[in-house]
Amino acid sequence: MSNTSSTPSTATRDVVILGSGVSGLTAAIYTARANLKPLVIEGHEPGGQLSITTLVENFPGWPDGVQGPELVENIRKQAQKFGAEIEMGHLHSADLSKTPIELNFGGNRIVHTRTLIVASGASARWLGLPSEQALIGHGVSSCATCDGFFFSGKDICVIGGGDSAMEEAMFLTRFATKVYLIHRSSTFRASKIMLERAMAHPQIEFLPNTVVEEVLGVEEKEVSGIRVRNTITGEVKDIALSGFFLGIGHIPNARFFEGQMDLDEDGYIKSKDNVFTTHNGKVLPGVFAAGDVQDRRYRQAITAAGTGCMAALEVEKYLEEHGR
């Protein structure tokens, strides 16, 4: 699967790409074809969110759909075909103020690079239930836009109490017969207008003061319902449904750059024109961002690929302008 680089740690790379999801691998294709010999670092989630997705029907070029892991693997092979090197690694620290940029992967593994593309993605927040984890891709999803179509005419639930949960619940009413919106409290973080819209929708049933104790259907490998508990009365009951959607947000994988790069209040990279990173409002030379780590709005495979392409083209331009 992964290549092991033979380049000495003292050599300076033209470009290092952090992340092997769609954005990182697309950036690898473009920079490899430009003969920049990119080094792609796979983190704790090789392949990104698509690696835990089943059928993808909205990626252009696949009229019959494609399995998420297959799509990622094909993009990986395409990048490797043009000379991209892919290694496992976990970033320990980075110094973006140095020229070249210094990346520390631990174990005396220091990599210097003229440019850096941060495509480390955003990890979905999960409840952490063993049954939930066992059914990811089998009725458990963190992306309504990606998977809502598969639940036409079925009952489903959305977990969360913020705007993301309200938006997902509203979107899913296009397909589902009924949407249970489950929140652990009776107080919602969602904006007033979003909350009112969701509460007024005839297909959405609110279950406040409720927590999920188990997702049912592990043995059948398909969600068949949920076991919930009322936090006030203690009542436990089972609800039959076919889809379990998380609307409790994502965690951007950008914490290593805190203090060196402008991040928003939730830790997403603040980018200019989707790819340029900044520090104290000024563009960071040679450091670019792509994919979900800087995109809290769309988070789609096709938009991730697009920003991966954009970041790669900016890397080429930057290196040309700086005498590569």
Side-chain angles (χ1 to χ4, degrees):
M1 290 280 289
S2 298
N3 290 341
T4 301
S5 173
S6 59
T7 304
S9 60
T10 54
T12 298
R13 311 290 306 217
D14 280 324
V15 57
V16 170
I17 301 167
L18 296 178
S20 60
V22 174
S23 59
L25 292 175
T26 300
I29 290 172
Y30 274 78
T31 51
R33 291 187 74 249
N35 201 31
L36 297 179
K37 299 179 175 58
L39 172 63
V40 180
I41 302 295
E42 288 192 310
H44 65 284
E45 291 182 352
Q49 292 293 301
L50 273 188
S51 64
I52 57 171
T53 303
T54 51
L55 187 64
V56 178
E57 291 189 315
N58 54 7
F59 198 90
W62 300 87
D64 298 319
V66 59
Q67 294 294 313
E70 180 186 355
L71 178 58
V72 172
E73 184 60 22
N74 284 341
I75 301 173
R76 173 198 294 270
K77 289 177 179 177
Q78 193 173 355
Q80 290 175 316
K81 172 185 175 182
F82 294 115
E85 299 175 25
I86 302 177
E87 292 184 9
M88 290 295 296
H90 299 280
L91 185 66
H92 285 214
S93 62
D95 191 339
L96 305 183
S97 66
K98 287 188 175 181
T99 304
I101 297 161
E102 184 176 282
L103 304 172
N104 180 1
F105 294 98
N108 297 318
R109 173 64 164 144
I110 304 293
V111 176
H112 294 95
T113 180
R114 296 179 178 90
T115 63
L116 173 67
I117 296 176
V118 183
S120 46
S123 303
R125 294 182 188 272
W126 304 99
L127 296 181
L129 300 170
S131 54
E132 168 202 57
Q133 297 298 301
L135 289 167
I136 292 174
H138 299 277
V140 172
S141 172
S142 62
C143 181
T145 309
C146 308
D147 300 326
F149 177 80
F150 301 114
F151 297 92
S152 295
K154 299 179 180 180
D155 291 355
I156 62 174
C157 71
V158 173
I159 312 299
D163 278 352
S164 294
M166 303 304 145
E167 290 172 4
E168 296 230 337
M170 293 287 289
F171 175 81
L172 288 166
T173 59
R174 302 180 189 183
F175 312 103
T177 304
K178 186 171 188 176
V179 179
Y180 294 97
L181 203 152
I182 299 172
H183 186 44
R184 61 189 175 184
S185 169
S186 59
T187 304
F188 293 86
R189 301 185 314 278
S191 59
K192 182 179 179 181
I193 187 170
M194 289 299 299
L195 183 59
E196 288 178 346
R197 284 178 184 172
M199 294 186 78
H201 201 290
Q203 290 166 250
I204 300 176
E205 179 179 335
F206 276 68
L207 296 178
N209 300 312
T210 301
V211 294
V212 178
E213 295 201 325
E214 186 177 356
V215 184
L216 308 176
V218 173
E219 291 184 1
E220 298 79 15
K221 296 183 179 179
E222 184 176 6
V223 171
S224 61
I226 53 174
R227 182 161 296 144
V228 298
R229 175 175 53 84
N230 186 291
T231 58
I232 296 177
T233 66
E235 179 191 4
V236 176
K237 65 178 180 179
D238 292 352
I239 300 174
L241 47 75
S242 302
F244 183 92
F245 286 83
L246 279 298
I248 53 179
H250 289 71
I251 304 170
N253 300 313
R255 65 187 183 280
F256 292 110
F257 304 108
E258 190 172 355
Q260 300 187 74
M261 186 184 295
D262 292 335
L263 309 177
D264 71 11
E265 64 276 10
D266 293 321
Y268 286 88
I269 294 173
K270 289 184 177 180
S271 60
K272 289 188 175 182
D273 296 327
N274 298 302
V275 293
F276 295 97
T277 65
T278 61
H279 185 220
N280 296 327
K282 296 182 179 179
V283 172
L284 276 170
V287 183
F288 307 91
D292 290 8
V293 74
Q294 56 84 51
D295 175 15
R296 61 185 302 152
R297 184 176 181 86
Y298 301 106
R299 293 196 299 266
Q300 298 298 299
I302 189 64
T303 53
T307 54
C309 163
M310 294 160 66
L313 294 176
E314 293 299 339
V315 161
E316 292 179 43
K317 183 178 179 181
Y318 177 87
L319 290 172
E320 288 173 2
E321 291 176 347
H322 290 79
R324 190 262 179 188

